[in-house]
């Protein structure tokens, strides 16, 4: 479980009390409907707590006396009550309220109770407006049971938290993400499903096999969590004597761990692959391999990341280091060369994009949909999109597109992108235009001539778009813009597109929806 060491908590608390150091700490701000564990999405600068306000700080930001302590958190404004375990190290506000146990050993019991049908039943009249504020929650009656019953409740509660954490950590936006579930070439099932799964170590060189294993794992976790919740409902219904009012059954829609989804999970696999291409992840180490700081090349043995932090996306196979070529190399490193074509076919079928071949389907996904999906993945409700892979995009003709990893950006990145990739693509288009013209001049096949003419027109539009894009990006390349990661995505997205003379040049995709709007 993600926990901040006590020494660090003590330091953070001192920084907060002294109001002297800028510190970013995890924060609860609510979220959707999810039980037991999750929604660790926000961090907060402790100095923000001290901003002038007419409201009391303990109302707006929670009581500082309880900051960084283990407890339970929930979303105060929601259709249904769902409570999650909060490890040590978090601050909170009223949207993501917290409660605490005088004795930490009681937390599993309270977590189970608050996620049971008993709590939901009482909240229908304690808070009929669906505002699960501290006042209403504090009125919920707590009935304790004997030691044997308590022990059973605690075991089931810990099992639920463990299962929900395993589910949450399977996706790369989790702070405790280790590796993609389809990349566990030797896969051990999580502890909470191991007995039911009866798995052995599995050597997988086919993505289809990996997905089947992952699907079974998700199913077992889902069923186990559902069974646990129903058993807890039975226990608490008996404790509270509400057998005539409630039944223990839990509907599938109320079980808040995810089942496998082929398209979603293949898209997340491609996202992980791109992370490996940039060095954010490595096949040789768990979790984040690089998110700023000193680059350590020893972390990358099985697959070497892109050297210059620029990965072009082209609508045809023009370059030997474009994103599709790099994906093929990555698939070979993970699953082996012998299964490359089968794995490409499986990915393409799952994506369902347009194209006549697997590579073409995958290429079209990267060209048209990957960045949109990336922005959706790296977005937080109420705060908008926060992409970490930025798309340099020349426009509607798809003349030039290239991804850059924010955490590896340097003042030379744009200049290198311009000279080594944008100019190279212009030369490619010029060469292809001449080849199409030569075909039109010498071919006697009318259909071939018509196809060449159509492609020449498309290439000419792409070349024109690239030249216009080059005029914009040249100003930024010459400015050698410095970024500060602590400023965040919104600020840096505008900063990267603002030249030394203060003029803004829109060179990144979806700028209007991501960056900070210019102050008037």
């Amino acid at each position: 479980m993600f926990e901040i060491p006590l020494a660090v908590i003590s330091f953070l608390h001192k920084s907060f009390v002294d109001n002297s150091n800028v510190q970013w700490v995890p924060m609860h701000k609510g979220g959707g409907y999810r039980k037991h564990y999750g929604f660790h999405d926000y961090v907060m600068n402790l100095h923000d707590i001290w901003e002038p306000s007419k409201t009391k700080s303990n109302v707006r930001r929670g009581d500082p006396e309880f900051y960084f302590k283990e407890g339970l958190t929930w979303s105060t404004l929601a259709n249904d009550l769902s409570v999650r375990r909060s490890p040590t190290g978090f601050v909170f506000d009223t949207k993501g309220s917290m409660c605490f146990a005088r004795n930490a050993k009681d937390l599993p019991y309270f977590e189970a109770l608050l996620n049971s049908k008993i709590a939901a039943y009482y909240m229908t009249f304690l808070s009929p407006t669906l505002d699960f504020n501290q006042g209403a929650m504090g009125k919920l009656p707590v009935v304790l049971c004997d030691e044997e019953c308590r022990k059973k409740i605690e075991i089931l509660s810990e099992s639920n938290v463990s299962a929900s954490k395993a589910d949450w950590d399977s996706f790369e936006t989790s702070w405790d993400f280790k590796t993609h579930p389809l990349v566990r070439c030797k896969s051990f099932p999580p502890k909470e499903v191991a007995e039911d799964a009866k798995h052995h170590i599995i050597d997988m060189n086919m993505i289809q096999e990996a997905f089947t294993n992952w699907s079974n794992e998700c199913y077992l976790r889902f069923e186990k969590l559902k069974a646990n919740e129903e058993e807890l409902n039975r226990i608490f219904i008996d404790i509270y004597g509400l057998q005539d009012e409630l039944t223990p059954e839990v509907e599938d829609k109320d079980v808040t761990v995810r089942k496998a989804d082929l398209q979603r999970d293949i898209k997340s696999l491609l996202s992980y692959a791109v992370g490996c291409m940039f060095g954010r992840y490595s096949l040789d180490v768990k979790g984040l391999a690089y998110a700023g700081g000193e680059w350590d090349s020893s972390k990358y043995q099985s697959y070497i990341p892109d050297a210059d932090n620029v990965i072009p996306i082209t609508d045809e196979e023009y370059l030997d280091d474009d994103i599709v070529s790099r994906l093929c190399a990555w698939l070979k490193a993970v699953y082996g060369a012998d299964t490359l074509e089968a794995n490409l076919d499986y990915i393409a079928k799952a994506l369902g994009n347009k194209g006549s071949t697997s590579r073409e389907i995958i290429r079209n996904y990267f060209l048209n949909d990957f960045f949109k999906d990336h922005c959706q993945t790296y977005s937080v409700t109420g705060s908008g999109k926060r992409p970490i892979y930025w798309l340099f995009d020349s426009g509607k003709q798809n003349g030039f597109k290239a991804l850059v990893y924010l955490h590896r950006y340097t003042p030379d990145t744009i200049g290198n992108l311009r000279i080594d990739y944008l100019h190279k693509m212009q030369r490619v288009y010029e060469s292809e235009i001449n080849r199409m013209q030569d075909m039109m001049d010498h071919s006697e096949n009318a259909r071939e001539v018509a196809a060449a003419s159509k492609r020449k027109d498309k290439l000419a539009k792409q070349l024109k778009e690239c030249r216009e894009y080059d005029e914009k990006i040249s100003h930024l390349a010459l400015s050698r813009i410095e970024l500060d990661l602590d400023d965040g995505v919104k600020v840096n997205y505008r900063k990267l597109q603002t030249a030394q003379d203060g003029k803004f040049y829109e060179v990144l995709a979806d700028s209007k929806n991501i960056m900070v709007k210019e102050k008037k």
Side-chain angles (χ1 to χ4, degrees):
M1 185 175 290
F2 170 81
E3 293 190 0
I4 298 179
L6 289 175
V8 178
I9 294 171
S10 176
F11 169 73
L12 291 173
H13 190 267
K14 184 177 186 301
S15 298
F16 169 71
V17 173
D18 293 346
N19 192 24
S20 58
N21 294 300
V22 177
Q23 296 292 336
W24 292 93
V25 293
M27 182 182 191
H28 291 305
K29 283 179 62 68
Y33 181 72
R34 182 180 175 87
K35 293 182 178 181
H36 311 302
Y37 188 92
F39 291 142
H40 298 173
D41 296 319
Y42 291 92
V43 292
M44 183 179 182
N45 190 320
L46 286 175
H47 276 240
D48 290 344
I49 300 173
W50 294 98
E51 64 184 7
S53 173
K54 294 180 181 179
T55 59
K56 295 181 180 179
S57 63
N58 65 340
V59 174
R60 293 187 68 251
R61 301 296 192 191
D63 191 338
E65 180 184 349
F66 294 96
Y67 281 180
F68 316 120
K69 292 185 178 181
E70 184 181 14
L72 303 174
T73 184
W74 67 93
S75 308
T76 55
L77 295 176
N79 292 328
D80 297 287
L81 177 64
S82 59
V83 176
R84 296 169 291 279
R85 183 78 63 85
S86 173
T88 57
F90 279 78
V91 298
F92 54 97
D93 70 0
T94 53
K95 291 182 180 178
S97 291
M98 287 190 67
C99 66
F100 305 87
R102 289 188 176 90
N103 188 333
K105 293 181 179 180
D106 294 330
L107 276 177
Y109 187 92
F110 295 146
E111 188 273 333
L113 172 61
L114 292 174
N115 279 317
S116 73
K117 283 193 171 183
I118 294 295
Y121 172 75
Y122 276 105
M123 293 310 292
T124 58
F125 49 85
L126 287 174
S127 183
T129 60
L130 303 180
D131 180 5
F132 304 118
N133 57 67
Q134 298 95 321
M137 292 287 284
K139 294 176 183 177
L140 198 151
V142 177
V143 179
L144 300 178
C145 61
D146 60 57
E147 191 63 30
E148 184 179 349
C149 173
R150 250 179 102 94
K151 189 65 177 177
K152 186 174 183 180
I153 289 172
E154 290 171 0
I155 291 171
L156 290 170
S157 174
E158 294 292 0
S159 175
N160 290 347
V161 172
S162 178
S164 297
K165 186 178 188 302
D167 170 70
W168 182 259
D169 292 343
S170 295
F171 294 84
E172 66 175 84
T173 49
S174 167
W175 300 338
D176 284 334
F177 174 75
K178 296 295 186 292
T179 187
H180 195 276
L182 302 187
V183 180
R184 301 177 195 152
C185 292
K186 291 187 178 294
S187 180
F188 296 88
K191 184 184 297 183
E192 74 278 359
V193 299
E195 291 183 4
D196 294 331
K198 295 180 181 177
H199 283 296
H200 300 287
I201 300 173
I202 300 173
D203 287 316
M204 290 178 292
N205 59 5
M206 298 280 286
I207 297 175
Q208 183 173 3
E209 294 174 355
F211 179 77
T212 298
N213 186 67
W214 165 241
S215 183
N216 291 337
E217 179 183 310
C218 291
Y219 174 79
L220 290 166
R221 179 161 49 228
F222 185 95
E223 291 298 317
K224 187 173 183 65
L225 186 60
K226 182 179 179 179
N228 284 355
E229 291 182 346
E230 290 181 341
E231 179 62 19
L232 285 167
N233 283 335
R234 288 189 192 95
I235 295 173
F236 282 115
I237 287 171
D238 287 343
I239 292 172
Y240 281 75
L242 291 172
Q243 293 88 344
D244 295 336
E245 302 290 336
L246 301 172
T247 60
E249 288 75 24
V250 175
E251 294 186 46
D252 282 2
K253 67 180 181 62
D254 295 324
V255 180
T256 55
V257 294
R258 291 156 284 197
K259 291 184 177 179
D261 180 286
L262 180 59
Q263 186 176 86
R264 180 201 67 196
D265 295 333
I266 289 298
K267 286 182 176 181
S268 76
L269 176 67
L270 294 179
S271 176
Y272 179 76
V274 171
C276 291
M277 294 177 201
F278 280 122
R280 178 175 177 81
Y281 304 113
S282 168
L283 299 178
D284 306 304
V285 299
K286 293 181 178 180
L288 283 177
Y290 184 82
E294 194 72 26
W295 179 266
D296 183 358
S297 59
S298 67
K299 292 181 178 180
Y300 310 96
Q301 303 297 322
S302 302
Y303 176 83
I304 308 300
D306 183 77
D308 57 15
N309 191 35
V310 178
I311 300 178
I313 305 173
T314 59
D315 62 351
E316 295 185 37
E317 192 175 347
Y318 293 126
L319 307 174
D320 58 8
D321 64 343
D322 72 348
I323 198 162
V324 177
S325 298
R326 287 204 157 270
L327 175 65
C328 290
W330 183 83
L331 290 171
K332 289 179 183 179
V334 177
Y335 303 101
D338 293 344
T339 59
L340 174 62
E341 297 306 320
N343 284 329
L344 288 172
D345 290 344
Y346 189 74
I347 291 171
K349 185 176 180 180
L351 292 174
N353 285 62
K354 293 181 179 179
S356 57
T357 67
S358 295
R359 283 174 173 78
E360 189 175 330
I361 291 170
I362 295 169
R363 184 177 299 281
N364 285 333
Y365 170 72
F366 279 121
L367 192 70
N368 301 311
D369 299 318
F370 174 80
F371 186 70
K372 289 185 289 186
D373 287 341
H374 175 65
C375 287
Q376 184 63 35
T377 299
Y378 283 82
S379 65
V380 180
T381 303
S383 299
K385 304 170 182 176
R386 298 291 185 273
I388 55 172
Y389 311 135
W390 290 3
L391 181 64
F392 284 79
D393 187 356
S394 64
K396 294 180 179 180
Q397 301 300 326
N398 293 325
F400 181 80
K401 286 188 176 183
L403 290 170
V404 167
Y405 179 29
L406 168 61
H407 294 163
R408 284 184 61 192
Y409 171 87
T410 73
D412 294 322
T413 297
I414 298 180
N416 294 337
L417 177 144
R418 179 180 179 235
I419 299 300
D420 296 338
Y421 293 93
L422 178 57
H423 288 178
K424 186 174 184 178
M425 283 308 303
Q426 291 180 58
R427 293 193 295 272
V428 167
Y429 290 141
E430 289 167 353
S431 175
E432 286 296 293
I433 288 171
N434 291 334
R435 192 167 69 85
M436 292 302 102
Q437 184 61 55
D438 185 67
M439 190 177 296
M440 291 162 58
D441 292 341
H442 297 93
S443 177
E444 297 180 358
N445 185 317
R447 182 175 295 180
E448 192 176 73
V449 170
S453 177
K454 182 179 179 180
R455 184 161 183 264
K456 179 189 173 185
D457 291 342
K458 186 195 94 168
L459 291 163
K461 291 177 182 178
Q462 290 180 310
L463 178 59
K464 180 176 182 293
E465 185 178 84
C466 282
R467 287 171 174 167
E468 293 171 352
Y469 189 68
D470 187 37
E471 291 180 11
K472 292 193 293 185
I473 211 167
S474 63
H475 297 280
L476 303 173
L478 292 172
S479 297
R480 301 190 75 255
I481 299 162
E482 301 248 9
L483 300 181
D484 185 345
L485 293 178
D486 287 339
D487 290 337
V489 170
K490 290 176 69 176
V491 170
N492 282 319
Y493 221 69
R494 170 170 284 281
K495 189 175 181 181
L496 183 139
Q497 300 175 89
T498 305
Q500 279 182 332
D501 60 4
K503 189 172 180 180
F504 179 79
Y505 297 92
E506 189 171 352
V507 298
L508 295 175
D510 208 14
S511 293
K512 293 179 182 178
N513 295 320
I514 297 174
M515 66 187 183
V516 175
K517 292 183 179 179
E518 189 174 6
K519 295 180 181 179
K520 294 183 179 180

